[in-house]
Amino acid sequence: MDIKAVTLSIIKMPLKQPFTTHLGSVKEREAVIVEVEDRNGFIGYGEVVAFSSPWYTEETVQTSYHMIRDFLIPLLKEKGINHPDQAFDLFSSVRRNLMAKAGLETALWDLQAKKEGIPLSKLIGGTMEAIPAGVVVGNPNLPEALEQIEGYLEQGFKRVKVKISPEDDHHYISGIRKQFPDLPLMADANSAYSLEDVDRLKALDEFGLLMIEQPLGFDDIVDHATLQGRIETPICLDESIVTFDDARKAVELGSCGVINIKIGRVGGLGEAKRIHDYCVSKGIPVWAGGMIEFGISRAHNIALASLPGFTIPGDISGSDRYWEQDIIEPEIKVENGMIKLPEKPGIGFELNRKRLKEVTIFEERFEF
């Protein structure tokens, strides 16, 4: 890949409304936008999905920027690669920092697809022409959450995920089930429980949830295996799965019945596809998780979710879910609960340069 330059832009934008879990509320979002330009004029786009503070993982916007600028770009400049599927190994001398790696690696995948003149989804083996859209309701107020769910169902969303904690889980889920008895519903605990809460979690079996996501420790797979053996609801692992080996061990231990794949969390599209392929071989359903991201990351998620193993609607909604105006054009739209795969080369979307400039707080360019 004959790279000419890499441009990094730190952007910041307020959410249309706060996104709340038991860990706190997100009211505004920062991210790093990565642009990789080759000498033929093609530009690939990536997005670092780390948050401003280390509440989800140890990475932040600032640490990711540091890693890309001072370590990953120099590695790419010094050694180079012929194809983006070599990027993960190239970056392996840098431990962890997977969201930083994914930000640069996904830009390389987009660049490669544009060079080949094909959609990114086709380059990675996607088979779907449209993907079902799920939505997350992060509102702990039950009446307000019910009103939001009603609105999302009217828009055609195929699945709803709600945030739960031990303080109010049974009452909250019961209230939703009473009003929406047939709703494909899942609950995300964000590690709010321990094994001492087995009875609380088992009590949720009656509601026929699609899954409970990450009920125990963010880095655990052992206790989850114990819990899965004692409840009927499938456990979905999220934060625990940051490597291919994590996925393999979790499946072998029986720690989960479902795995959430987030491109940023696992270090890029290459590793995301590798985990997908393994889960397909083991009969483990997967779905694409969201990170309250901007349009670039969302476009990569759309491509990933076109792979055949993604049988559960992911956290992929339209641009208007979080933003008054996204940084891409055209903006991503949900129509009758589905998102169409773009037919243009690469991710199928372009940066809205005017909007990008409005929300950029820092920019730096690195020549090769």
Side-chain angles (χ1 to χ4, degrees), residues 154-181:
E154 290 175 357
Q155 295 174 45
F157 283 96
K158 305 299 185 183
R159 183 231 72 203
V160 172
K161 180 169 80 172
V162 296
K163 301 288 185 175
I164 60 170
S165 65
E167 288 73 29
D168 195 34
D169 49 8
H170 196 277
H171 173 261
Y172 191 73
I173 297 296
S174 177
I176 295 172
R177 266 288 172 250
K178 184 177 181 179
Q179 185 160 333
F180 305 103

Side-chain angles (χ1 to χ4, degrees), residues 53 86 123 270 335:
S53 61
Q86 299 170 341
L123 180 62
E335 298 179 345

Side-chain angles (χ1 to χ4, degrees), residues 8 34 48 50 55 64 69 81 83 124 153 159 172 175 215 242 249 251 259 265 277 286-287 303-304 319 350 358:
L8 303 178
V34 183
V48 177
W55 65 270
S64 297
R69 179 191 62 196
I81 56 173
H83 192 277
I124 64 174
L153 294 180
R159 183 231 72 203
Y172 191 73
V242 297
K249 292 172 184 176
V251 171
I259 286 180
R265 196 190 66 235
D277 293 350
V286 298
W287 59 281
L304 177 68
S319 293
E350 289 298 325
E358 290 173 348

Side-chain angles (χ1 to χ4, degrees), residues 66-292:
H66 164 51
M67 286 296 153
I68 296 175
R69 179 191 62 196
D70 295 330
F71 296 98
L72 303 183
I73 288 177
L75 277 171
L76 186 61
K77 187 174 183 179
E78 176 187 358
K79 298 185 178 180
I81 56 173
N82 296 317
H83 192 277
D85 61 13
Q86 299 170 341
F88 191 82
D89 286 340
L90 173 66
F91 299 152
S92 63
S93 61
V94 176
R95 289 198 177 184
R96 305 283 289 200
N97 291 284
L98 296 168
M99 291 182 176
K101 293 177 180 179
L104 183 53
E105 189 251 24
T106 51
L108 293 168
W109 277 103
D110 182 34
L111 177 63
Q112 183 68 30
K114 287 170 177 172
K115 286 174 59 179
E116 296 187 25
I118 59 175
L120 176 60
S121 59
K122 301 301 182 185
L123 180 62
I124 64 174
T127 58
M128 302 180 194
E129 294 183 359
I131 59 171
V135 69
V136 183
V137 174
N139 192 330
N141 182 285
L142 180 58
E144 292 178 3
L146 292 173
E147 185 177 346
Q148 288 178 1
I149 291 170
E150 183 70 47
Y152 291 135
L153 294 180
E154 290 175 357
Q155 295 174 45
F157 283 96
K158 305 299 185 183
R159 183 231 72 203
V160 172
K161 180 169 80 172
V162 296
K163 301 288 185 175
I164 60 170
S165 65
E167 288 73 29
D168 195 34
D169 49 8
H170 196 277
H171 173 261
Y172 191 73
I173 297 296
S174 177
I176 295 172
R177 266 288 172 250
K178 184 177 181 179
Q179 185 160 333
F180 305 103
D182 301 318
L183 171 67
L185 180 66
M186 57 182 287
D188 186 1
N190 288 117
S191 303
Y193 298 78
S194 72
L195 277 180
E196 295 178 357
D197 298 310
V198 168
D199 290 340
R200 290 198 67 90
L201 293 166
K202 188 170 180 58
L204 301 179
D205 283 343
E206 67 174 286
F207 299 118
L209 298 174
L210 289 173
M211 68 194 81
I212 297 178
E213 186 178 359
Q214 201 71 35
L216 307 182
F218 73 92
D219 58 353
D220 170 76
I221 58 175
V222 176
D223 286 351
H224 277 102
T226 300
L227 178 62
Q228 185 66 95
R230 296 178 62 181
I231 67 174
E232 296 176 8
T233 306
I235 289 173
C236 171
L237 291 183
D238 176 2
E239 292 97 324
S240 294
I241 308 300
V242 297
T243 67
F244 173 85
D245 279 341
D246 289 337
R248 177 185 60 80
K249 292 172 184 176
V251 171
E252 291 180 358
L253 286 171
S255 305
C256 60
V258 182
I259 286 180
N260 167 338
I261 301 178
K262 291 177 178 173
I263 297 170
R265 196 190 66 235
V266 303
L269 265 174
E271 284 299 281
K273 185 178 185 304
R274 190 177 173 215
I275 293 171
H276 160 274
D277 293 350
Y278 172 79
C279 288
V280 169
S281 73
K282 297 298 181 180
I284 301 294
V286 298
W287 59 281
M291 289 288 292
I292 318 176

